[in-house]
Amino acid sequence: MGIKVGIDLGTTFSAVAVYDEKAGKPVIIKNPEGERITPSVIHFEDDGEIVVGSEAKESFESGEPGCISVFKRSMGDSSPYCTIKGKSYTAEDLSAILLSFLKKSTEQVCSQEIDEAVVTVPAYFYQQERAATMRAAHRAGLNVRQIINEPVAAAMTYAVSHWRENAVIMVYDLGGGTFDVTMVQMQEYGVMRSLETTGNHILGGKDWDEALTELIKSKLLEETGIDADSSPILSRTVIRQAEIIKKKLTQFDSTELRLKLPDYGEYKLTVTLDEFNAATRPLLERTGSLCLNLLEGLRLGWEDVTDILLVGGSTRMRQVPAYLRELSGHDPISHVDPDEAVALGAAIQVHLPAPEYLVTKVPDAKDEAFTGRIRMKKTKASSEESVLENALSIRCTDIVAHAMGIIAVNDAGTHYINKTIIPANQQIPCKCAEAFRFYTTEDGKNEMEIYVLQGTAAPAECNITGKYRVTGIPHDKHNNPRIIRIQYSYDINAMIHVQARLEGSERDLPIREETPEQDISRFARPIAPGELSVVQDNSLSVMLALDVSGSMRGSPIRNAKKAMCSFVDKMKKKGGDVRIGVMVVSDNTLVCQELTSDLESCKAAIKEIKVEMTGIGNAWHPFYKINDLMKELKGKRYAVVLADGVWMNPARAVDAARECHENGIEIIGMGFGDADEKFMRNITFGSMDSIMLEGSKELEMGFGTIAQEISAVSSTKQQSGKAGAETAAETWTAINELQIGRRQ
Ligand code: ADP
Ligand code: MG
């Protein structure tokens, strides 16, 4: 049997750890040189040999060609990170080399094979970066059980030896090129829960090096009048020395730098800790404001934070703990080695069961209080510290740093928007499904595109994570839209998956993942009028409202029911997305059948209609109910109102009918018998003339006319729907339609 390891694949250093069962805790596995951490540096030597680790770092520092470092910053980029002897390497290729070195050296030291590994990544890593890390590990021959976030791994290492129920830990991780800050809580039963995370992708030790470089250059200019930028050699020396000086200032209050100046000779330049601190204070404050954002987001104050845990090599700078003390009033803890904590945590995680999926609700952009969001209640941490019985009794729940969104069209149809599907800081793994109507055509428009984004910025400014093409959507011969259910998920690695199904089907539709186009500027432009006409909602809703007062007794009601049934048949023959509802009115209203596309059940409801179902007189009108049921719907909407007499309080009825009209519901009045022609005209607002009939025998003809007119109006839309080529815009409007679907 082999071993299970945790691997911290760092920008500057990497480390490997294993869980020691006898000790009940994880331990670092040294590399064959006896070092606890391995520099993430690769040297492609002249003779073709590849050297990794300390030896490569030494070569790098002495300026030998073919040395490559800090490639993790470009993880996920498809363009080459470097080209050595004509061969290009991406950050993923280089990471695969580094990981395979770590695997081989660990197996050599332990004399056992690695069965499984947990690899760590920065919390802010996007999909592409995570996917590239995963691929690199596979290529190195590692069986990756999970990818976990570095701050969480570090917090686990700390938590197992300093367990306090309800303690809230702020993990402040300042590495070589990045900063992130994460809040975790030690909850009951050894559950360690990530609450929220934030950070800056491009803020790290490197920025301190650059600020120090500038400080040295300006001091040099001031003291000697020499501009370092005028000499490339001098400039390079200053840059190379900056990181060394920075590290010296961790130990000493001032340090000297010896420089060979052109036409000047050697010069000794002194840099003090105070000067360095002053020059880099703005950088430190940027980390501070992110910490404050995090607290604010969780509605916590510094008094709620039990500990601040420092992770990452740059937290060794003395200014970091001093600043955090000043900001928070807490002494940050340094119980864990910032270089080792991450690998140790990963070595614990590799033995823990994987967490289960959490199904989340689709958040509404307007709905601030999204219930799926983890909100922490304020708890006072108990001061009693304990060591968990065994490191493996800990359970960890993690979150995803980036929201997942899709490109959709705004309600007004004027702009593309980033519609959030899963918000940032959602617990992972999680799933979220949406259903929407999609119009296929006979001539093969049976594919749809989905653009998935990470972050909440506008589509064109966002990280387009993936383009998914759902294929093989079967065409409905009646031209009815297909209801497609798309399921988006973040798995335990915070990696995105998209699945699609026909509503009611048990099988997934095929999905092809495509490379998103480079130029996505079209999503930044307003949508031109007509550009999306191809995706107008072709649906048609018709509410049939029948007068069932006493005067309808006998042949009028029989003829009306017959005419209504044949109307339903005509609409069914017409095809398309038609929904019909049935209601009756006299002294009251009653909905016999809600709007439905199941037209047979409409007919069944019509057949059940009886005179005086809602009373004998004409005290009431149907328009309040019609408005309630139809005002929110999209597509074409009609109410066909059938009356044979005079309604009481016609003014009230006309007012209510006007409201329907203003909400886009067209009213068609059909009067016969004692119906008042003027009143019938008043309730239709000229949208489509009211029809006055001689008697109930003519109802069938009247309904025939209406069916024809409605079909004529909607089929022009249907035609234009077919005319357009398949575009992303179409797809996205289809997505938007889902909102109607849900409202119904
Ligand atoms: P990463 O996780 O990005 O690989 P690390 O956590 O290893 O980064 O931190 C690397 C950074 O820490 C570098 O910028 C390095 O200069 C800085 N660093 C390491 N040791 C010290 C030190 N003693 N004093 C100041 N900075 C240090
Ligand atoms: Mg690190």
Side-chain angles (χ1 to χ4, degrees), residues 257-480:
L257 171 68
R258 282 166 202 275
L259 293 168
K260 275 206 184 72
L261 303 180
D263 312 323
Y264 199 106
E266 199 176 86
Y267 184 77
K268 262 200 285 185
L269 189 132
T270 306
V271 184
T272 70
L273 181 63
D274 287 343
E275 285 168 337
F276 172 61
N277 288 348
T280 53
R281 177 79 185 188
L283 297 172
L284 208 47
E285 286 174 354
R286 277 161 66 191
T287 69
S289 72
L290 286 164
C291 294
L292 294 173
N293 288 353
L294 187 70
L295 285 174
E296 205 181 294
L298 286 164
R299 296 189 192 123
L300 297 180
W302 284 114
E303 68 281 5
D304 301 306
V305 177
T306 318
D307 284 326
I308 302 172
L309 180 64
L310 300 180
V311 187
S314 296
T315 60
R316 290 211 168 86
M317 293 186 291
R318 280 188 277 166
Q319 55 175 258
V320 172
Y323 172 68
L324 288 170
R325 196 176 303 121
E326 176 192 319
L327 193 68
S328 68
H330 293 279
D331 259 329
I333 36 174
S334 42
H335 293 50
V336 294
D337 184 327
D339 288 332
E340 299 182 356
V342 172
L344 293 171
I348 299 173
Q349 185 64 39
V350 76
H351 288 271
L352 301 182
E356 290 189 357
Y357 268 99
L358 197 79
V359 178
T360 65
K361 181 182 120 179
V362 181
D364 188 332
K366 292 158 225 137
D367 177 13
E368 287 276 305
F370 168 51
T371 51
R373 173 75 182 275
I374 311 154
R375 277 266 160 254
M376 202 200 71
K377 56 176 194 291
K378 277 194 178 192
T379 38
K380 251 235 121 13
S382 71
S383 55
E384 216 167 291
E385 193 167 292
S386 64
V387 176
L388 282 187
E389 202 174 300
N390 176 316
L392 300 188
S393 55
I394 197 168
R395 290 289 173 274
C396 179
T397 70
D398 206 352
I399 52 178
V400 57
H402 308 290
M404 187 197 304
I406 54 169
I407 299 183
V409 175
N410 65 347
D411 278 346
T414 53
H415 287 88
Y416 292 102
I417 54 164
N418 176 356
K419 179 179 162 155
T420 298
I421 299 287
I422 296 176
N425 294 307
Q426 181 67 33
Q427 189 177 323
I428 50 168
C430 59
K431 292 179 182 178
C432 186
E434 283 200 311
F436 59 91
R437 282 183 273 147
F438 183 77
Y439 294 87
T440 56
T441 61
E442 264 163 300
D443 51 359
K445 195 195 97 183
N446 62 353
E447 297 186 351
M448 54 170 293
E449 296 168 336
I450 299 169
Y451 283 85
V452 173
L453 311 171
Q454 284 190 295
T456 52
E461 282 138 41
C462 236
N463 177 350
I464 299 245
T465 299
K467 180 178 173 185
Y468 301 84
R469 183 177 291 276
V470 181
T471 63
I473 302 169
H475 178 63
D476 179 89
K477 58 179 186 296
H478 300 299
N479 290 323
N480 284 325

Side-chain angles (χ1 to χ4, degrees), residues 549-614:
S549 60
S551 57
M552 286 291 289
R553 196 172 293 133
S555 60
I557 190 89
R558 272 203 307 279
N559 288 336
K561 284 165 68 172
K562 198 166 148 232
M564 284 161 78
C565 282
S566 83
F567 171 81
V568 173
D569 281 336
K570 283 197 179 78
M571 297 312 289
K572 192 169 178 181
K573 224 155 121 198
K574 177 190 120 25
D577 183 15
V578 183
R579 276 157 299 164
I580 298 180
V582 182
M583 63 189 281
V584 295
V585 59
S586 50
D587 288 332
N588 213 329
T589 53
L590 176 76
V591 177
C592 310
Q593 172 62 59
E594 301 264 359
L595 285 159
T596 176
S597 49
D598 177 3
L599 302 187
E600 283 308 314
S601 66
C602 281
K603 276 163 65 182
I606 292 167
K607 284 175 188 152
E608 290 297 309
I609 293 176
K610 288 180 183 61
V611 174
E612 294 163 25
M613 253 174 134
T614 49

Side-chain angles (χ1 to χ4, degrees), residues 8-14 72 120 122 150 173-176 178 311-313 338-339 342:
D8 172 9
L9 183 65
T11 312
T12 39
F13 286 99
S14 296
K72 179 175 164 184
T120 61
E150 288 163 10
D173 183 356
L174 188 60
T178 62
V311 187
D339 288 332
V342 172

